[in-house]
C-alpha cells in the first residue's frame, strides 16, 4: 500500500532534527546544511559503533520500504545494517539482532500493523533502548493514530508489546 510508506522527505527531516539536537550523534562529514541527498560522502562511524543505522521492520509488511530506505541512506554515505549482507552464513539469533541494534548510532523503526506482534522487532527495540540508542519511529496515520499508540503503551495483556511501544516512542509521541 503506497500510502503506508513513509515519505523520504519526512524521514530526512526527522534525521536532520535528531542529529542537530543530539551532539553526540553528530557525523563529522555531515555538512552544516544538513544531510545531502545529491552528493554521497563517506560518514565517519564512531569507534564503538557497528552501523550508522539499524532499520527495524516487519519483513512481511515492509520489505520493499526497507530496501528503498536502506539504498537511499547508503547512497548518502551511511553504513546501514543489512542482515542478508552483514550476517551471511551466520545462524541469526534474537540476541545477535539485539547486538547489532545496540551497536548502531540510531534505530529506525518502520511501524506497520503487525510490527509489535513480532518478538524480533520488539527485541531489536529492547536492545537499542538498553544501550541508549535513539529510536526514530516511522509510522503512517493509516496504521496508527495518536490514541491507538497511547493505548498500546498501556497494554496490560501483553507487557512486552507495551514496553516495545514505549521504547519506540519514548517522549517522541506527537500527534
Amino acid at each position: 500500500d503506497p500510502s503506508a510508506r513513509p515519505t523520504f522527505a519526512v524521514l530526512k527531516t526527522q534525521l536532520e532534527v535528531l542529529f542537530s539536537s543530539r551532539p553526540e550523534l553528530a557525523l563529522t562529514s555531515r555538512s552544516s546544511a544538513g544531510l545531502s541527498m545529491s552528493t554521497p560522502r563517506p560518514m565517519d562511524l564512531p569507534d564503538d559503533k557497528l552501523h550508522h543505522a539499524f532499520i527495524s521492520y516487519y519483513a512481511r509488511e515492509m520489505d520493499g520500504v526497507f530496501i528503498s530506505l536502506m539504498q537511499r541512506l547508503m547512497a548518502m554515505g551511511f553504513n546501514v545494517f543489512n542482515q542478508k549482507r552483514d550476517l551471511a552464513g551466520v545462524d541469526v539469533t534474537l540476541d545477535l539482532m539485539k547486538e547489532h541494534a545496540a551497536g548502531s548510532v540510531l534505530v529506525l523503526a518502520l511501524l506497520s500493523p503487525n510490527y509489535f506482534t513480532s518478538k524480533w522487532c520488539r527485541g531489536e527495540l529492547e536492545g537499542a533502548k538498553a544501550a541508549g540508542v535513539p529510536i526514530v519511529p516511522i509510522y503512517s496515520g493509516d496504521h496508527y493514530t495518536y490514541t491507538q499508540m497511547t493505548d498500546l503503551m498501556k497494554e496490560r495483556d501483553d507487557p512486552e508489546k507495551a514496553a516495545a511501544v514505549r521504547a519506540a516512542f519514548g517522549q517522541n509521541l506527537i500527534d
Side-chain angles (χ1 to χ4, degrees):
D1 177 10
S3 67
R5 294 182 178 177
T7 65
F8 186 68
V10 170
L11 175 61
K12 180 178 177 286
T13 301
Q14 287 178 326
L15 291 175
E16 287 174 338
V17 168
L18 178 68
F19 284 123
S20 67
S21 67
R22 303 276 304 266
E24 70 274 18
L25 300 179
L27 300 170
T28 58
S29 296
R30 191 168 51 90
S31 73
S32 60
L35 302 172
S36 169
M37 289 179 52
S38 56
T39 309
R41 290 186 297 272
M43 299 289 182
D44 293 334
L45 189 62
D47 291 337
D48 63 335
K49 296 296 180 185
L50 302 169
H51 316 282
H52 290 110
F54 180 102
I55 303 171
S56 177
Y57 68 104
Y58 188 67
R60 290 186 200 139
E61 295 172 339
M62 299 295 273
D63 198 50
V65 175
F66 163 74
I67 291 168
S68 176
L69 178 58
M70 178 187 65
Q71 289 172 343
R72 287 178 182 238
L73 290 173
M74 289 175 65
M76 292 167 52
F78 287 99
N79 174 325
V80 180
F81 173 74
N82 177 342
Q83 177 182 337
K84 292 177 183 171
R85 179 196 64 219
D86 297 331
L87 301 179
V90 174
D91 183 26
V92 179
T93 65
L94 184 55
D95 285 339
L96 188 56
M97 294 300 284
K98 285 181 179 182
E99 180 182 315
H100 279 273
S104 298
V105 174
L106 75 130
V107 169
L108 302 172
L110 301 180
L111 307 183
S112 61
N114 290 301
Y115 180 88
F116 291 110
T117 64
S118 165
K119 72 176 183 176
W120 292 85
C121 295
R122 292 191 315 248
E124 293 160 0
L125 293 181
E126 179 184 297
K129 181 172 171 117
V133 174
I135 299 168
V136 178
I138 302 166
Y139 70 104
S140 163
D142 293 338
H143 294 316
Y144 294 110
T145 64
Y146 180 84
T147 302
Q148 288 169 316
M149 294 312 305
T150 54
D151 288 347
L152 281 173
M153 286 182 179
K154 301 171 193 169
E155 179 75 45
R156 297 197 194 286
D157 295 333
D158 189 344
E160 284 184 30
K161 182 190 275 188
V165 174
R166 285 190 301 274
F169 287 98
Q171 300 302 313
N172 298 321
L173 185 58
I174 56 174
D175 191 8

